[in-house]
Structure formats: structure tokens, C-alpha cells
Amino acid sequence: MTTPAGDTNRPSGQLIVALVLIVVLAALVLYSSFTVLNLPRGVTEESEHIWNLYQATLAISMVIYFAVTAGIIYAIFRFRQRSKELPQQIHGSSRLELLWTVIPVGILVALFIPSLVVMIDLKTPPSDDEADLVIEVVAHQWWWEFVYCTNGDCASPNNVRVQRTPPNYDDLKPPALVVPTGQKVKAYVRSTDVVHSFYWPRSLYKLQAIPGNVNELHFTVKSGKEGTYSGQCYQFCGLRHADMLFVVDARTPSEFQSWLNEQRRAQGLETTNPTASADRD
């Protein structure tokens, strides 16, 4: 039986199915990359570096995933078994093996260098003198306490304190960590009892609060990103873990200083020694 003219180059039904599946795969990869697999855009300068690094990592990962999966789909339909006769056996290619060894190593090195730079920045907080605001984040079972350290002294009796005692869990109002935008905030994070985790998603950076240890973090909320951002403990810490909430309230420097002075008056503290250099540019 002869093949009708014009049908020689027509793709088979199996290859059409493979092509449709590959197109669906591409759509799923693109959709998930921009939605469920992506991160929220941060509001701090440090989170911008984390977000950019994640986008590069995600893009490379999705390209590799699509190429490998699409190749498998194509191979399943294109080289499916048609008879009991074995195809020609290929025992290896030194060039191919070298290629798929060098390329992953190159990708890992390309990702390692910027990852190292970001981690060094996150793990190298400024000195108390370099920071515009120094605070202490104290984790309790089950609430957060925030201490605004006067002149970097977190033990000073002249410090503003937010949520010194347990909240009313029947009418829970998360404590607010009020910070100025455009200024560098340094935080000492510790726990009084068990392991907790301090995290607000728009910072893209989580830090453990460990008993007997003080961890440090720093962040600068970008100017123009004033607002209230939710946070919570991300380490299961007991019965009321789900109630261990807080908010980060980012305000302009002048609004922050007004709030700080108001808190000082309300707590009967001196107002002559500001906790933060709110007037810095």
C-alpha cells in the first residue's frame, strides 16, 4: 500500500499529543512561576536582594525542569516501542557526559557567588553607632515584647517598651513594632523560654529566637513603603503558638519620632534622649 501524496511529512497523532502536552506543561510552568512558586515583594532594602536572587534561581530551575520534562514527554511518544526488535544500543558519549557535568557546575557557581554576597550582608549587622534605631525583640510564651534601646543600651530604665506583659488572648491585639522608613534598624532577638522564630513575610528573612543566645538582624524599610505588615512566630512553641502575632508599623521618620515621644510621655520616661536618630537623612 502506497502512502498518499502530501502525507509524507505530516506529524503522527502521537507526536501531536506530545506537542499538546508540552504546551500545557509550558503554560503550567509559567503560571506557577508567577503565582504559587513566587515570593511576595518585600518592603525592605535587604528583601530586594533576596527577591532578586530568588527570581534568578527560580528562572533557572523552571527552565531546567521544563527542558527535562518536555524531553521525557517527547521521548515517550517519539521512541515508544513498535516491535520486539531492540533499537541500536548507545553506551555513552564522553562529550555529552562532560557537557552535562560542566553546565550544572557552572550554574551552581553562578548562583553561589550572589547567594554568598546576600548571606554575608544579612549576617553582618551594623554596629550600634551605625544603626539609626536599635531595638530588642524578646520572645515569650506566647507574645512578643519590643524594647527601644536608648543610645543602644537595651537595659536602660529609660527604654520604651511595647507589650511587657501577656496580652488579653480573649481580645487579642498584636503588639506593633513601629519603625521609621528609610532608616537602618538593628534588632537583638532573644527568647526567655523556648525556641521561637521572628518573621514577617514582607521582609523575606526569618531569624530564630533561642534561649540563652542573642541573634542579630538588620533591615531598612524603603521610603514610600509606609504601612502595617503582619508577622508571627514561625516555630511551633506550645499551646498558644498561633496567637503569637505582631505587626510591623512602618512610618515616616517624623511620624515615628512623634509616636516615640508620645510613648515616652505615656510611660513616664524622659524625652530628652531619643532612642533613634530620626532626623538622619
Side-chain angles (χ1 to χ4, degrees):
M1 182 176 180
T2 59
T3 302
D7 287 353
T8 305
N9 298 323
R10 180 181 299 174
S12 67
Q14 297 287 343
L15 288 181
I16 293 177
V17 172
L19 179 61
V20 170
L21 291 176
I22 291 173
V23 171
V24 171
L25 173 67
L28 290 175
V29 166
L30 288 174
Y31 175 78
S32 60
S33 297
F34 287 100
T35 55
V36 295
L37 294 180
N38 217 316
L39 294 175
R41 198 67 181 258
V43 297
T44 67
E45 293 179 1
E46 293 74 18
S47 67
E48 191 70 16
H49 303 315
I50 298 172
W51 193 85
N52 290 335
L53 177 62
Y54 181 81
Q55 298 309 306
T57 304
L58 180 64
I60 293 172
S61 301
M62 289 297 99
V63 168
I64 294 174
Y65 169 76
F66 173 76
V68 172
T69 307
I72 292 174
I73 293 173
Y74 176 79
I76 288 173
F77 288 93
R78 175 63 179 83
F79 300 107
R80 69 191 186 281
Q81 184 177 9
R82 293 182 175 85
S83 66
K84 294 183 179 181
E85 182 180 354
L86 291 176
Q88 179 182 357
Q89 301 300 297
I90 300 175
H91 298 285
S93 170
S94 297
R95 290 182 179 179
L96 284 178
E97 292 175 2
L98 179 62
L99 184 64
W100 64 52
T101 300
V102 171
I103 291 178
V105 169
I107 293 173
L108 291 176
V109 171
L111 290 176
F112 171 78
I113 295 175
S115 299
L116 180 63
V117 172
V118 171
M119 288 304 300
I120 290 176
D121 175 65
L122 293 174
K123 294 296 184 180
T124 310
S127 65
D128 291 355
D129 293 336
E130 295 173 330
D132 297 297
L133 174 65
V134 179
I135 60 175
E136 185 178 37
V137 177
V138 186
H140 305 268
Q141 288 181 305
W142 291 272
W143 80 94
W144 295 98
E145 177 185 0
F146 305 123
V147 181
Y148 290 78
C149 306
T150 304
N151 298 325
D153 182 7
C154 296
S156 171
N158 197 42
N159 289 335
V160 169
R161 293 176 178 268
V162 176
Q163 196 69 65
R164 302 185 67 170
T165 57
N168 179 6
Y169 292 107
D170 294 328
D171 184 23
L172 185 62
K173 295 180 180 179
L177 174 60
V178 182
V179 297
T181 58
Q183 295 187 357
K184 190 174 298 183
V185 179
K186 179 180 180 179
Y188 293 100
V189 181
R190 63 181 179 89
S191 170
T192 62
D193 34 59
V194 299
V195 177
H196 300 278
S197 183
F198 180 74
Y199 180 59
W200 48 297
R202 298 299 292 274
S203 71
L204 302 184
Y205 185 59
K206 180 173 65 175
L207 191 68
Q208 298 292 83
I210 301 175
N213 188 61
V214 178
N215 289 327
E216 301 178 17
L217 67 83
H218 64 283
F219 61 88
T220 302
V221 180
K222 293 184 288 187
S223 298
K225 294 296 183 180
E226 293 79 14
T228 302
Y229 307 100
S230 61
Q232 66 185 82
C233 176
Y234 267 67
Q235 176 73 43
F236 181 72
C237 54
L239 181 64
R240 288 193 175 274
H241 164 69
D243 292 329
M244 200 166 170
L245 308 173
F246 67 93
V247 297
V248 174
D249 185 354
R251 304 185 182 187
T252 63
S254 59
E255 291 175 341
F256 168 77
Q257 192 61 52
S258 296
W259 172 87
L260 188 62
N261 291 334
E262 181 181 342
Q263 293 299 310
R264 287 186 176 281
R265 288 190 293 269
Q267 297 181 24
L269 303 174
E270 300 176 7
T271 58
T272 55
N273 296 319
T275 300
S277 300
D279 296 329
R280 292 186 191 178
D281 293 332

